[in-house]
Amino acid sequence: LGPSAGPGALTGVEAGAGDSHRGGRSVMLLRFADGTRLVYKPRPLAAHRHFNSLVEWFGSLPGAPDLRVLRVLDRGDYGWAEFVAERPCASGAETRQFYRRQGALLALLHALDGTDLHHENLIACGPHPVLVDVETLFHPALGPARSADPAARALHDSVHRVGLLPQLLVGDTTALDMSAIGGGRAASSPIETADWAETGTDRMRLVRRAGRFTESANRPRLGAETADPSAYTDALCDGFRAGYTAIHDHRDELLAPDGPLRRFAGDEVRVVPRPTWTYTTLLDESTHPDLMRDAAERHRVLSLLRTPLLGVPALSGVEDEEIAELWCGDVPVFATRPGSGRLWSGTGRTVTGSAPEGPAPDAVAPTGLARVEAKVRAMDTVDRQDQERIIRTAMVSTSPEPPHRPGPGGRTPSAATAPEPEQLLSAARSVGDQLVSLAYRHEGRTNWIGLELLGERYWRLTPMAADLAGGYTGPALFLAQLAALTGVSRYAEAAREALAPVPGLLDALHGRADELGALGSGAYAGLGGIAYALTEVGTLLGDREVLDLAGPAVRLSCAANAAEDGYGVRGGAAGGLVSLLAVYR
């Protein structure tokens, strides 16, 4: 891995380059007398070795961009990896090559069910995005894969799951992009954690404050300027298209019994049943002095993993092992093999529980290798275009520029005569047809993937919620209006299916009256707009079931109006009052 003459004496070892697992083991960085650096990894590197072979095969395919990989030395239970230093691009053309290669890498990781590609897992080395960790390939499906919302299922199964595209860590007041493409800036964490102030003095005390993320090396530089990823969306999509097409065109070779995919069958890969920050937060909080006095008190805090407060893990039955590893001071880790259904913890014990897909008791869940093989067989042009659309939508959120800019010379004067109604209706039908074609449908429910605005500052790619401005009640209202004007049944059907989750939503909100003030009664981002949409859709379609939902929505809107602080139209009391007057009329 180093120079043939040898790197000289070992001059330094930097421990803790990552979370600790399996009894305090962590990645270490070694430094030698001649300046050479080397990475020690306390886990098997067979999957990384086989990934390198797969990348070599991928790079030999016509049209596929060549990708650089880490050289590794697999020693069974541990291994060594080449250290790759960040290096700027020499030209704008090299920066475009970087993003084209990143798009191809995204296509490859999407095909392999890879995930967790955050900003610390990628190094920008000139025109090459170098992946430094591949331990989460062949990853089982997480919670959204079992959701009744078809848009949530589609987004989970898409390229978005890889983690390369913008992914927000959301706090109470701020959010931070943690992805490999948009993250990496030096910034404060949106989440406050336990820390010590004035350490080493008699004034030392426990405080809560935001940690600090240092700048990562995941984004390419041209000189001193860091690239704006949104400016290279076309290059990213071009690389994705080339990589996806290469895999599709040569999938028989990839899926062959002696092909590069089957080599992963016996390799150890990591399974992440819930976000790692959940574990690190519990470790911080459970070492508060008040909890360290009594083992039962500390155990009660760690047992929050068994409650909905910290989310439901992707795999059931892991909580005992999670708590046992946290007691040891480790971040819990779970592993499996792509060719096996067995799951084991960092202590080596087998974990028993239901499979991630939640099959019937007598069903056998597919292995990670079988899931990837099925995905590769299903790849086609329609799916590729769908994935590209998700990429382009996600990349909007990385742009520092406003989404709409005025053109030069102001607006062109409108025609003196208004368009004929038939022209307007034709345009509306084309919009409706596009809405229907972009919808995700499953078992009587329809939804869309959209952009959600958080705190007027951050955009997040997500399944549409229920609000009128950015949620599924908006398209439902448009489609119902279009159905009433045209008599086309598919518009009416899509509108009804879009509103399918509303009864369950209203029932849930009736049991959580204390949260209604935060939701608000506003016309566009609150319950008032939902009540208005239900009334309009029910009237337009002559649908008594939809119209009957307006009553509960109105009562909830009134309760929210009484409890909210805002007075605006979009999400406040003024919008709620306007909505209720419209419902009354």
Side-chain angles (χ1 to χ4, degrees):
L1 292 174
S4 57
L10 179 67
T11 58
V13 177
E14 180 185 332
D19 298 320
S20 68
H21 307 293
R22 297 182 171 116
R25 294 172 174 82
S26 68
V27 174
M28 296 186 182
L29 180 63
L30 281 63
R31 298 176 184 269
F32 295 87
D34 70 346
T36 298
R37 285 178 283 183
L38 193 63
V39 180
Y40 165 79
K41 298 196 174 187
R43 59 176 181 270
L45 296 185
H48 206 139
R49 180 162 49 85
H50 290 139
F51 178 76
N52 289 356
S53 299
L54 178 62
V55 168
E56 183 179 358
W57 168 85
F58 177 76
S60 70
L61 302 178
D66 61 305
L67 301 176
R68 181 177 170 183
V69 295
L70 284 182
R71 289 175 293 156
V72 297
L73 186 61
D74 180 22
R75 291 300 196 191
D77 291 338
Y78 67 97
W80 306 92
E82 168 193 13
F83 179 87
V84 173
E86 184 264 352
R87 177 167 60 84
C89 294
S91 65
E94 280 202 352
T95 307
R96 284 189 293 275
Q97 289 172 9
F98 176 93
Y99 282 104
R100 188 171 188 272
R101 289 187 172 108
Q102 197 167 51
L105 178 63
L106 178 59
L108 188 58
L109 292 174
H110 170 60
L112 294 175
D113 274 350
T115 186
D116 202 35
L117 185 52
H118 53 76
H119 62 96
E120 294 177 335
N121 276 350
L122 194 88
I123 302 295
C125 185
H128 292 276
V130 183
L131 190 59
V132 300
D133 202 338
V134 298
E135 63 176 340
T136 52
L137 300 178
F138 301 90
H139 201 278
L142 301 180
R146 292 172 281 171
S147 171
D149 184 343
R153 296 163 69 105
L155 187 62
H156 174 270
D157 293 339
S158 75
V159 289
H160 193 255
R161 182 191 183 198
V162 173
L164 184 143
L165 298 172
Q167 308 268 330
L168 290 180
L169 177 62
V170 180
D172 291 333
T173 58
T174 61
L176 185 65
D177 188 354
M178 304 296 290
S179 69
I181 199 165
R185 298 179 178 87
S188 297
S189 170
I191 299 174
E192 290 188 346
T193 56
D195 197 5
W196 296 103
E198 299 191 68
T199 55
T201 73
D202 58 1
R203 295 184 299 276
M204 178 175 169
R205 63 196 179 279
L206 190 140
V207 296
R208 297 186 189 283
R209 57 188 171 198
R212 185 81 183 166
F213 287 102
T214 58
E215 187 173 1
S216 298
N218 58 300
R219 299 173 70 186
R221 289 186 298 112
L222 185 57
E225 291 293 318
T226 303
D228 168 20
S230 65
Y232 296 92
T233 301
D234 287 343
L236 183 75
C237 288
D238 180 58
F240 178 82
R241 192 180 310 116
Y244 189 106
T245 302
I247 295 170
H248 171 270
D249 291 348
H250 297 84
R251 58 185 166 194
D252 290 343
E253 186 179 339
L254 177 63
L255 298 172
D258 59 347
L261 204 57
R262 291 293 180 92
R263 296 171 192 162
F264 290 93
D267 299 342
E268 180 181 303
V269 292
R270 185 178 174 187
V271 176
V272 186
R274 66 174 101 218
T276 301
W277 66 262
T278 304
Y279 300 135
T280 56
T281 299
L282 271 179
L283 280 174
D284 288 340
E285 298 296 335
S286 66
T287 51
H288 190 289
D290 291 347
L291 298 176
M292 297 298 281
R293 296 190 185 103
D294 187 337
E297 286 295 321
R298 186 174 191 229
H299 191 75
R300 190 173 294 118
V301 170
L302 296 181
S303 295
L304 289 172
L305 285 169
R306 302 185 191 279
T307 70
L309 182 66
L310 293 180
V312 179
L315 302 165
S316 66
V318 301
E319 293 90 347
D320 288 343
E321 291 301 317
E322 288 176 320
I323 293 170
E325 292 187 52
L326 287 168
W327 264 108
C328 297
D330 283 333
V331 172
V333 64
F334 298 89
T336 187
R337 302 189 194 282
S340 164
R342 177 175 170 254
L343 179 75
W344 64 91
S345 69
T347 62
R349 289 192 288 265
T350 298
V351 177
T352 57
S354 68
E357 288 79 7
D362 57 345
V364 177
T367 64
L369 186 60
R371 287 193 302 270
V372 167
E373 289 175 337
K375 176 188 277 190
V376 171
R377 289 190 188 96
M379 292 171 77
D380 58 23
T381 303
V382 173
D383 176 67
R384 176 181 60 75
Q385 291 173 341
D386 192 33
Q387 303 306 323
E388 283 188 50
R389 186 163 52 246
I390 289 172
I391 293 171
R392 289 187 180 277
T393 307
M395 291 301 291
V396 169
S397 64
T398 67
S399 175
E401 300 295 329
H404 301 290
R405 291 183 293 276
R411 191 170 169 176
T412 304
S414 301
T417 306
E420 290 296 322
E422 290 76 11
Q423 289 179 274
L424 296 174
L425 189 57
S426 176
R429 288 187 68 155
S430 68
V431 173
D433 291 340
Q434 189 172 12
L435 275 174
V436 172
S437 69
L438 292 177
Y440 295 94
R441 311 178 81 166
H442 180 71
E443 294 182 353
R445 185 168 173 184
T446 290
N447 201 5
W448 295 263
I449 293 172
L451 285 169
E452 177 185 17
L453 183 60
L454 302 176
E456 304 297 327
R457 293 175 59 194
Y458 310 100
W459 288 103
R460 178 171 65 179
L461 191 68
T462 183
M464 281 190 173
D467 60 284
L468 183 61
Y472 52 75
T473 52
L477 176 56
F478 178 88
L479 291 168
Q481 291 168 329
L482 195 55
L485 287 169
T486 63
V488 177
S489 60
R490 70 174 181 278
Y491 300 143
E493 182 184 1
R496 289 188 179 95
E497 288 187 356
L499 297 178
V502 171
L505 172 66
L506 298 179
D507 286 345
L509 291 176
H510 270 291
R512 298 158 70 176
D514 54 328
E515 298 178 18
L516 294 179
L519 290 173
S521 66
Y524 297 107
L527 286 159
I530 296 173
Y532 165 75
L534 291 169
T535 307
E536 280 286 314
V537 173
T539 303
L540 287 163
L541 301 183
D543 192 315
R544 190 74 237 174
E545 287 187 18
V546 174
L547 204 54
D548 284 346
L549 296 172
V554 165
R555 288 192 290 275
L556 288 168
S557 184
C558 290
N561 188 283
E564 67 190 332
D565 298 323
Y567 298 101
V569 173
R570 181 177 184 273
L577 293 173
V578 169
S579 300
L580 295 182
L581 286 170
V583 170
Y584 173 75
R585 284 196 298 272

